[in-house]
Amino acid sequence: MSDLTHGDDAAAVNSLRSAVMRLSRRLKHQRVDESLSPTEMSVLGTLSLCGSATPGELARKEHVQPPSMTRIVALLEAKGLVRLEPHPDDRRQKVVTKTEQAETMLAESRTKRNAFLATLVEGLDEDEWAALRAAAPVLEKLAHL
């Protein structure tokens, strides 16, 4: 890959960063449950996507320190959104599992955010929408690198 720190490539990287951050902030405001922090929502989303996990695994996936994840899991458990179960192979550990209440809340949140994005997309012309559809898998790949 070429040097992306100069010229048109650097401008494109800067524009992409700015647009992704702004859109992300706008999407974060489209929450169903205002009592949950973005980090708590992210942990629930990770559990929904990846399945049950230990607090340590969640900390790595969410890029937070284990003590922070322990606090987040405790808050989510107190709200009835996750439950802690014994680890099947290691009695010293627990496994975090989302509850049905969490799945319902996540589905409502996805619906609300998708509707918000659909409204924004209505303002695009056909070529812009085609370009965005084509870019979606690439953005998904970047999100998981």
Side-chain angles (χ1 to χ4, degrees):
M1 171 129 318
S2 65
D3 179 10
L4 302 178
T5 60
H6 295 89
D8 290 344
D9 286 338
V13 167
N14 187 57
S15 180
L16 177 63
R17 177 200 47 78
S18 178
V20 167
M21 289 179 68
R22 284 185 186 156
L23 187 56
S24 176
R25 275 194 302 272
R26 291 180 71 189
L27 281 167
K28 284 179 185 177
H29 290 291
Q30 302 299 313
R31 294 187 292 168
V32 171
D33 187 337
E34 295 290 328
S35 71
L36 294 178
S37 72
T39 303
E40 291 168 325
M41 284 294 295
S42 182
V43 169
L44 291 177
T46 296
L47 288 170
S48 183
L49 185 65
C50 300
S52 299
T54 66
E57 291 167 338
L58 285 172
R60 281 188 295 282
K61 289 179 183 191
E62 293 294 316
H63 306 284
V64 299
Q65 294 299 313
S68 296
M69 185 55 65
T70 299
R71 285 189 297 278
I72 293 165
V73 167
L75 289 169
L76 291 171
E77 184 181 30
K79 294 175 183 179
L81 298 171
V82 300
R83 64 181 174 277
L84 291 170
E85 300 168 334
H87 192 283
D89 302 322
D90 185 347
R91 294 183 347 181
R92 298 168 297 167
Q93 293 194 55
K94 298 284 185 184
V95 174
V96 183
T97 303
K98 69 180 175 8
T99 63
E100 196 170 302
Q101 178 185 347
E103 191 55 49
T104 299
M105 191 262 316
L106 284 168
E108 290 172 1
S109 181
R110 283 186 204 107
T111 298
K112 183 174 182 178
R113 289 175 179 178
N114 286 349
F116 172 74
L117 278 175
T119 300
L120 294 179
V121 167
E122 288 174 357
L124 301 178
D125 64 32
E126 215 27 67
D127 290 339
E128 290 169 327
W129 176 225
L132 190 55
R133 278 194 319 267
V138 178
L139 292 171
E140 183 70 24
K141 181 178 179 178
L142 285 177
H144 294 287
L145 287 180

